[in-house]
Amino acid sequence: QYKAINDEGMPMYQRAFMKGKLYIHFTIEFPDTLNPEQSKSLEAVLPPRTSVQLTDMELDECEETTLHDVNIEDEMRRKQAQAQEAYDEDDDMPGGGQRVQCAQQ
């Protein structure tokens, strides 16, 4: 599953203070069932369960954000279309780039 967080990705080209989306790809495989022995084994290797109530210090260190569902195929097509438009804009320059000759000595 893919999720995105707005304004937490890489800085945008020629807009250093604006950031894009941060994409996160989750791959999680859950077992269909666990027997009591497997549950005990997991509890032995995992950290102890924490209280549901966080301390004020823990809350101060948290940053709340919103994850958005992403169709990654659509996002990739959109990015490719934007890249193609950028190349097309370069071709639209009238007269092309200026040509500079070396000075004769």
Side-chain angles (χ1 to χ4, degrees):
Q1 184 176 25
Y2 287 90
K3 298 279 187 175
I5 301 174
N6 293 334
D7 305 321
E8 291 293 335
M10 295 293 291
M12 293 184 171
Y13 179 68
Q14 294 184 342
R15 296 183 230 161
F17 297 105
M18 293 181 67
K19 294 184 179 180
K21 293 180 183 176
L22 171 64
Y23 295 98
I24 304 169
H25 182 200
F26 293 95
T27 304
I28 303 170
E29 294 181 23
F30 291 104
D32 294 329
T33 60
L34 286 178
N35 63 40
E37 184 178 304
Q38 291 171 320
S39 293
K40 287 180 185 177
S41 297
L42 279 175
E43 287 179 357
V45 296
L46 292 175
R49 295 179 189 197
T50 59
S51 65
V52 178
Q53 190 68 19
L54 296 175
T55 66
D56 288 340
M57 192 165 98
E58 289 171 325
L59 287 173
D60 287 342
E61 292 177 6
C62 291
E63 183 176 328
E64 191 171 328
T65 189
T66 304
L67 291 173
H68 301 280
D69 289 327
V70 174
N71 183 332
I72 199 68
E73 288 85 15
D74 289 346
E75 290 287 317
M76 296 303 284
R77 279 192 288 274
R78 185 179 60 80
K79 295 258 187 223
Q80 286 175 341
Q82 284 177 341
Q84 185 60 42
E85 287 174 11
Y87 286 121
D88 291 344
E89 287 175 7
D90 290 344
D91 293 340
D92 293 341
M93 299 277 297
Q98 291 182 344
R99 300 188 188 274
V100 178
Q101 290 183 339
C102 294
Q104 296 292 327
Q105 293 196 15

